[in-house]
Amino acid sequence: MAARSTTTPPPEDDFEEHILDIDVGDEMRSSFLEYAYSVIYSRALPDARDGLKPVQRRILYTMHDNRLLPDRGHVKSARVVGDVMGRLHPHGDGAIYDALVRMAQPWVMRLPYIDGHGNFGSPDDSPAAMRYTECRMASPALAMTTSIDEDTVDFRPNYDSRELEPSVLPAAIPNLLVNGSAGIAVGMATNCAPHNLVEVVQALRHLIAQPDAGLDDLMRFVPGPDLPTGGKIVGLDGIRDAYETGRGSFKMRATTRVEQVGRRKAIVITELPYGVGTEKLFERIKTLVQTKKLQGISDLKDLTDRTNGLRLVIEVKNGFVPEAVLEQLYRQTPLEDSFGINAVALVDGQPRTLGLKEMLEVFLEHRYEVVRRRSSFRRGKKADRLHLVEGLLVALLDIDEVIAVIRSSDDTGAARQRLMTVFDLSQIQAEYILEMQLRRLTRFSRLELEKESEELRREIEELDAILADVALLRGVVSDELAQVAAEHGTPRRTVLLESAGAPAKASATPLEVADDPCVAYLSSAGLVARSTAGDLPGRGEGRAGHDVVISAVRTTARADVGVVTDAGRLLRLSVLDLPTLPPSANDPNLQGGMPLEQLLVLDKGERALALVAITEDGPGLALGTRGGVVKRVKPEVLNRDEWEVVTLDGKDRVVGVVQLTTGTEELCFVTSDAQLLHFSAESVRPQGRAGGGIAGVKLAAKQEVVSFGAFDPDAGEGAVVVTIAGSGEALPGTAHGTVKVSPFAEYPAKGRATGGVRCHRFLKGEDRLQLAWVGPGPARAAAANGSPVDLPEPTGRRDGSGTPLPQPVVAVGPRVADALGLPAAGAGQDDAGQDEGTAGADED
């Protein structure tokens, strides 16, 4: 209620009373709709093109406009917040600072856009006040604002119409998928999960090449979210629903392992679910322990530091099974949490629920428009410059007459008009000639202008071609996306699991598990798993959807297997600790596997090469090293968790290890200078653990072994040699290289310790083999993120050159049935039905 005035009111004749009757319902309805519209379009929902809310877009544009670039110094966050609030975003400074802070927190954003300096908080604590913190743009933010000054996007008036702001950013990064978004509007909300930039870019490039690609094709490249805090995603059905309809949910789990801490077993947590903080978790555990709803926990420790990262230790009381306590933690604490995807974003100014393909298509259409407008802008600029250069060349051809015309003119206007008439110049060219400095009259200057003219004409032709050809335009967008992925891409952090497996029970012990036959797997991404007890893989399995098996060994559920590393160590691994794959997952696709690092402690830089059976009989193992040494190891079992199987000299490393079954296998070396040598394993005398091996292959200067393998010569008709060549100066995983697949039968055998025969002819720019593999075909290949890579058909030329790869390959392996020595597809079955089914699977 307004206060009454104590002054004397003016006479009634001095004003005229105006009272307007308004229906309260209509007024409330109108005001609410205006408020709802403002919240939906101006605050809560992101634009599907750049994936940014208005406040985030305004922060990045203001920092770009103020040149707060990654190579400049940090400035006070309060200065950025003040500029954004005063120029573009007329709301509270708290909301602006909160948005700025979130764009700088690596546990919130998969790809942070703000480089913060100072206390920007933690998952449990709020940041310091904006007067204490400093910020500047991070490197990925430049990709969001690049070419914004080249008429690539529309600008609109700000809230007071004094300045202009972009309605959307050029956004070379698919931000809506990469960083996700969360917001609550009026009557609707959005919640998008973060993804891996490299995987999203691969899906975008595939969609550019195949616009009719379906969801299954795209999910080969984007199998699921990649959360900033890592962890595990359990169950992929909800993810597929979200990618298909825009709505779905999945469960997140912390990354844990059981370790011996002093005299107790302990559950060690190294990664938490997305959005879960340490204090929130510990508070929940303490409450459950105090109320006796959770038993078996003796102590909680937070040993997190900057060197080792997150490390939470939950000590388990003696007499309790750690796995059973962990299952209780999953059920009752935020160690397992759910994430609901509701992908709502603005498309053409309207809120829409988008699936995976729709989000990719909206972003691609935006990039097509940005590149088209940028090309048109640059063409206009270059055409204007060419117009001036042509005028200067005309003047320089007859400079004496130009000077005479200018000197004989009464004033500047007359000189301009006479130049236009005498030399047939435009007004702009005449003005430019009049302003030309005398130092431009040298012969060198004329040569520079002619060279510039030719360069401008070539660039204009290229831009005209892009504007006229849709295929070229899409090629430019695809190349730019690849460059963004190469500059800002990072490896996947979140492990995807098909299912959680059977829950552990407090009364369960290893002796209660039947010692049934099974298969242990190791994949190229470092995942390990085992098949369902008694369920060996079938014949003729199809192509893997994600990842590829590089090693498989037959064993039993209660047995131990060995993990041989490139440091020459064999580490004992209990098969019972491996996650069990459901029967439908006994395929090279190990999405239900577990990272090996969670079960074994490897040294820094040490890499697991293969799984082997631990036995005291048989021919033993065969190993090959980078320095060309070969060794056969006598089979033996020690009462240890680890032991050396070869003594390495200096910086030598093991490059391959195989378990011999007959002792008559063919051992094969492939060197970096594309030399292949194979000889019988019978020519290598078995040695004990302390032995250092013998000469296996003769190496040229500065060359090394890139691959070592073995296979049964009696089953070698289908063996192939896969070689991948590239440049030795390229960083690992950055160059695609060329690949060649050839029959192994084309390569003659030679004696041990010789130089072998050439197996790959290098093209221009190639000087070494990056990767090689020899084994039973057909071979499978995988990229760094685990996605499959198609290999060409085998050719009959043993020393031919390769064909370009669509993406870098990091691992090649056989089919699981071939790795285990099972019969070929269709053996012992109906030939017509089995062969037909196998062919369909391989071509799927």
Side-chain angles (χ1 to χ4, degrees), residues 281-467:
L281 173 65
F282 276 17
E283 182 180 354
R284 176 62 176 167
I285 294 176
K286 290 176 181 178
T287 301
L288 292 173
V289 171
Q290 292 171 359
T291 57
K292 299 188 182 301
K293 295 181 179 179
L294 182 63
Q295 298 180 352
I297 295 179
S298 63
D299 194 11
L300 303 174
K301 297 178 182 178
D302 186 358
L303 304 181
T304 304
D305 56 33
R306 293 184 177 180
T307 303
N308 301 314
L310 180 71
R311 182 178 172 84
L312 309 179
V313 179
I314 303 176
E315 294 189 3
V316 180
K317 294 180 180 178
N318 293 332
F320 286 83
V321 179
E323 291 77 10
V325 176
L326 181 58
E327 284 297 328
Q328 295 184 48
L329 291 171
Y330 283 149
R331 289 195 299 267
Q332 302 183 58
T333 72
L335 275 185
E336 180 175 283
D337 203 356
S338 62
F339 188 101
I341 296 178
N342 185 27
V344 179
L346 298 177
V347 180
D348 296 330
Q350 300 294 327
R352 281 182 52 190
T353 303
L354 305 174
L356 175 63
K357 185 174 182 180
E358 286 80 6
M359 284 190 279
L360 296 175
E361 288 175 339
V362 170
F363 175 77
L364 283 180
E365 289 299 327
H366 175 56
R367 286 303 300 170
Y368 293 155
E369 181 65 18
V370 166
V371 174
R372 186 181 299 110
R373 294 179 59 167
R374 183 188 66 195
S375 300
S376 179
F377 177 86
R378 292 179 177 176
R379 191 215 178 279
K381 288 290 185 181
K382 294 186 183 301
D384 292 342
R385 176 59 185 171
L386 180 60
H387 185 61
L388 294 177
V389 170
E390 289 174 343
L392 281 179
L393 287 174
V394 170
L396 289 178
L397 287 175
D398 201 354
I399 190 62
D400 294 333
E401 186 175 353
V402 170
I403 295 174
V405 169
I406 296 174
R407 293 188 61 185
S408 61
S409 301
D410 296 332
D411 52 26
T412 302
R416 182 192 313 112
Q417 189 62 38
R418 293 182 62 191
L419 285 175
M420 294 169 58
T421 303
V422 174
F423 297 99
D424 194 18
L425 302 174
S426 66
Q427 183 175 350
I428 296 176
Q429 290 174 322
E431 285 283 0
Y432 195 64
I433 291 172
L434 288 174
E435 296 175 358
M436 183 178 60
Q437 298 175 340
L438 292 177
R439 64 184 180 186
R440 301 293 301 273
L441 302 181
T442 63
R443 179 183 302 173
F444 183 71
S445 177
R446 178 180 173 182
L447 295 176
E448 284 185 337
L449 289 174
E450 291 176 347
K451 182 178 179 181
E452 182 181 1
S453 175
E454 294 176 359
E455 183 71 18
L456 288 171
R457 285 191 175 90
R458 184 185 61 80
E459 292 175 351
I460 290 174
E461 289 179 0
E462 293 177 355
L463 294 171
D464 285 338
I466 293 174
L467 293 171

Side-chain angles (χ1 to χ4, degrees), residues 426-696:
S426 66
Q427 183 175 350
I428 296 176
Q429 290 174 322
E431 285 283 0
Y432 195 64
I433 291 172
L434 288 174
E435 296 175 358
M436 183 178 60
Q437 298 175 340
L438 292 177
R439 64 184 180 186
R440 301 293 301 273
L441 302 181
T442 63
R443 179 183 302 173
F444 183 71
S445 177
R446 178 180 173 182
L447 295 176
E448 284 185 337
L449 289 174
E450 291 176 347
K451 182 178 179 181
E452 182 181 1
S453 175
E454 294 176 359
E455 183 71 18
L456 288 171
R457 285 191 175 90
R458 184 185 61 80
E459 292 175 351
I460 290 174
E461 289 179 0
E462 293 177 355
L463 294 171
D464 285 338
I466 293 174
L467 293 171
D469 191 343
V470 176
L472 285 178
L473 177 68
R474 292 182 176 181
V476 172
V477 173
S478 179
D479 293 341
E480 291 181 355
L481 286 173
Q483 183 178 359
V484 166
E487 292 178 358
H488 307 295
T490 55
R492 168 172 277 275
R493 301 175 185 174
T494 302
V495 177
L496 304 177
L497 304 178
E498 289 281 0
S499 63
K505 298 180 181 179
S507 61
T509 63
L511 296 178
E512 294 178 348
V513 178
D515 198 18
D516 293 331
C518 62
V519 176
Y521 302 109
L522 172 65
S523 78
S524 62
L527 302 180
V528 289
R530 63 184 171 98
S531 64
T532 305
D535 188 5
L536 296 179
R539 277 72 163 165
E541 57 251 300
R543 179 164 49 192
H546 206 67
D547 206 354
V548 63
V549 169
I550 59 174
S551 182
V553 60
R554 296 199 214 191
T555 181
T556 59
R558 293 214 314 262
D560 292 338
V561 295
V563 179
V564 182
T565 71
D566 60 352
R569 294 197 302 160
L570 186 148
L571 292 83
R572 187 188 297 269
L573 178 64
S574 174
V575 177
L576 195 64
D577 293 337
L578 304 183
T580 304
L581 300 177
S584 61
N586 288 334
D587 177 77
N589 182 355
L590 288 195
Q591 293 183 19
M594 174 185 294
L596 181 62
E597 289 78 4
Q598 296 184 20
L599 301 174
L600 297 177
V601 179
L602 300 179
D603 295 338
K604 185 177 181 181
E606 189 176 13
R607 182 170 59 91
L609 297 178
L611 301 179
V612 297
I614 299 179
T615 177
E616 292 185 346
D617 53 8
L621 306 177
L623 303 98
T625 74
R626 186 184 302 166
V629 173
V630 64
K631 178 184 179 183
R632 282 187 58 183
V633 185
K634 294 179 181 179
E636 58 181 329
V637 178
L638 302 181
N639 189 22
R640 303 179 190 173
D641 289 336
E642 61 176 81
W643 60 85
E644 288 188 353
V645 291
V646 62
T647 301
L648 298 176
D649 294 335
K651 297 182 179 180
D652 200 7
R653 307 288 280 189
V654 178
V655 296
V657 55
V658 289
Q659 189 155 25
L660 303 177
T661 57
T662 64
T664 60
E665 287 89 347
E666 284 290 301
L667 306 182
C668 182
F669 282 95
V670 183
T671 67
S672 57
D673 57 346
Q675 296 294 314
L676 184 149
L677 173 68
H678 68 95
F679 49 86
S680 175
E682 294 178 320
S683 63
V684 182
R685 179 176 55 85
Q687 295 180 327
R689 290 186 302 106
I694 59 179

Side-chain angles (χ1 to χ4, degrees), residues 268-288:
V268 179
I269 303 169
T270 55
E271 293 176 347
L272 288 174
Y274 184 46
V276 176
T278 302
E279 293 183 4
K280 177 182 176 182
L281 173 65
F282 276 17
E283 182 180 354
R284 176 62 176 167
I285 294 176
K286 290 176 181 178
T287 301
L288 292 173

